[in-house]
Amino acid sequence: MLTITHTHEAGTLIEGTSRGDGTADILKANRWRWGRSISAWYVPNSRDHRPNHPTIRRTADALTAAGFEVTTELDESVRSTAEVEAGKIARQADRVAALEQKVDRKQAAADAAWQRHEADAARLPEGGEPVKIGHHSEPRHRRALDRAHASMGASVQADHDANEVARRADEASHTTGARYSVVTVANRIQKLGADIRRAERSIEADYYHPERGYEPATQERKDARAVAIAPRLTELRDQLTYWESVRAEQIADGTATNYSRDTIKPGDTVKVGGYWYRVVRANAKTVSVDTGHSWTQTTPYAKITAHRPAGG
């Protein structure tokens, strides 16, 4: 008995598989992956999302055709954006801690490898004495050279491994900060707003009839669309509310600026990326600035870190 499960927090998993039972090839073909940390097969990017019914149905059908008995336990409920984000931050913190511990282990291994090489090098004749061909010391000398060469290679590889893990740990430590950067948050708010408007428009959109072409959607069809899209709209609006609150806090504590076409006018100067530019045009979402060349450059208001009024 195989059971495909889904929750918003854990994502889509399958229970009941075992090594060599024939499920691996089927799951791989349907784009499942094996998670070593959870010792289970899972659907990538299914955590914090509603169940992907086409993928689940396709997988269940393939397993059933192969002779397995498959059931599903799918939880359609979703957590709030605040809960989702708290979970992501906690998981990232755990990942950083695990990588930092791995850095310590890899660095210790690199130090030990270097010490072994130094010990091997110390056994070589002093002064770089060449191998005496035909002498009784030749085999011992060659073995010592081989050991020193091998331990040097192991030391270099161990040092490379330690540096690579350190790089990954450093990148991981900045992930949450990057996700909550001022520009990223502002861009996310704009995207969520656009997604909501697109979803709302889809309710009222014309209906395409295969023979008559596009025609106005009936009220019955609009109502059906509204019901179908309601869960997604609720989720998007909750996400928008969360990220708007994050941006409001960033503005309140001075982390983010809050410029707009109401505060910036042509002729003003703005600071972007450490440089000052003269504003040529204030648009709805961006400003066009003078680059000193024959073209202007546009930049979102969120990237502006300082502002000087014209003549100020």
Side-chain angles (χ1 to χ4, degrees):
M1 172 67 74
L2 304 178
T3 304
I4 298 175
T5 67
H6 180 90
T7 65
H8 199 248
E9 182 175 4
T12 304
L13 309 172
I14 186 166
E15 300 174 355
T17 64
S18 59
R19 183 185 291 272
D21 65 358
T23 58
D25 289 341
I26 297 172
L27 293 171
K28 288 179 183 177
N30 285 279
R31 300 186 178 180
W32 289 60
R33 293 181 185 171
W34 174 256
R36 287 186 297 174
S37 62
I38 59 176
S39 298
W41 289 94
Y42 70 98
V43 174
N45 301 316
S46 59
R47 177 183 281 167
D48 302 328
H49 291 85
R50 286 188 172 82
N52 185 325
H53 291 286
T55 295
I56 293 171
R57 281 196 300 270
R58 186 168 59 249
T59 303
D61 290 345
L63 289 169
T64 301
F68 295 96
E69 186 176 353
V70 184
T71 63
T72 59
E73 297 177 3
L74 311 179
D75 184 352
E76 299 280 350
S77 63
V78 299
R79 297 175 298 156
S80 68
T81 304
E83 291 176 301
V84 170
E85 289 299 315
K88 287 181 179 179
I89 292 172
R91 290 195 300 273
Q92 190 62 23
D94 290 343
R95 181 169 183 266
V96 171
L99 282 171
E100 289 175 343
Q101 292 176 359
K102 190 173 183 179
V103 168
D104 293 340
R105 294 195 300 272
K106 290 291 186 179
Q107 189 58 59
D111 293 341
W114 176 249
Q115 291 172 5
R116 287 192 294 273
H117 169 67
E118 286 189 320
D120 290 339
R123 296 188 183 96
L124 295 173
E126 295 183 3
E129 181 180 341
V131 176
K132 297 177 180 178
I133 307 299
H135 191 266
H136 67 83
S137 65
E138 179 183 355
R140 183 175 65 253
H141 194 164
R142 291 192 182 279
R143 287 195 298 271
L145 286 171
D146 289 342
R147 282 196 300 269
H149 179 75
S151 60
M152 171 58 83
S155 175
V156 170
Q157 184 60 51
D159 189 63
H160 171 77
D161 292 345
N163 290 335
E164 175 61 19
V165 175
R167 181 192 65 78
R168 289 167 53 199
D170 182 65
E171 287 183 353
S173 68
H174 293 88
T175 298
T176 297
R179 181 171 176 79
Y180 280 77
S181 72
V182 168
V183 174
T184 300
V185 170
N187 289 342
R188 186 173 290 117
I189 289 171
Q190 287 191 7
K191 181 180 183 304
L192 286 168
D195 289 344
I196 290 171
R197 291 190 294 273
R198 188 180 303 110
E200 291 173 337
R201 288 196 301 271
S202 70
I203 297 174
E204 302 291 330
D206 289 346
Y207 168 70
Y208 180 78
H209 191 281
E211 296 179 357
R212 298 190 296 271
Y214 284 100
E215 57 186 28
T218 64
Q219 188 60 47
E220 181 181 5
R221 187 176 295 278
K222 292 179 183 178
D223 292 342
R225 288 172 177 172
V227 170
I229 207 170
R232 177 58 177 160
L233 270 175
T234 299
E235 191 174 5
L236 287 171
R237 288 165 179 159
D238 180 63
Q239 291 175 3
L240 181 61
T241 299
Y242 175 84
W243 289 108
E244 284 180 337
S245 70
V246 170
R247 178 158 174 78
E249 290 178 4
Q250 291 177 335
I251 293 171
D253 63 22
T255 303
T257 57
N258 192 29
Y259 298 118
S260 68
R261 70 191 313 174
D262 295 329
T263 54
I264 294 180
K265 307 297 180 183
D268 294 356
T269 53
V270 294
K271 192 174 185 180
V272 180
Y275 297 93
W276 287 93
Y277 299 92
R278 185 178 64 85
V279 176
V280 177
R281 185 169 55 256
N283 311 303
K285 297 181 179 179
T286 63
V287 293
S288 300
V289 298
D290 185 1
T291 63
H293 301 285
S294 59
W295 63 86
T296 60
Q297 176 179 305
T298 60
T299 188
Y301 286 104
K303 288 190 176 182
I304 300 174
T305 57
H307 167 234
R308 293 174 183 165

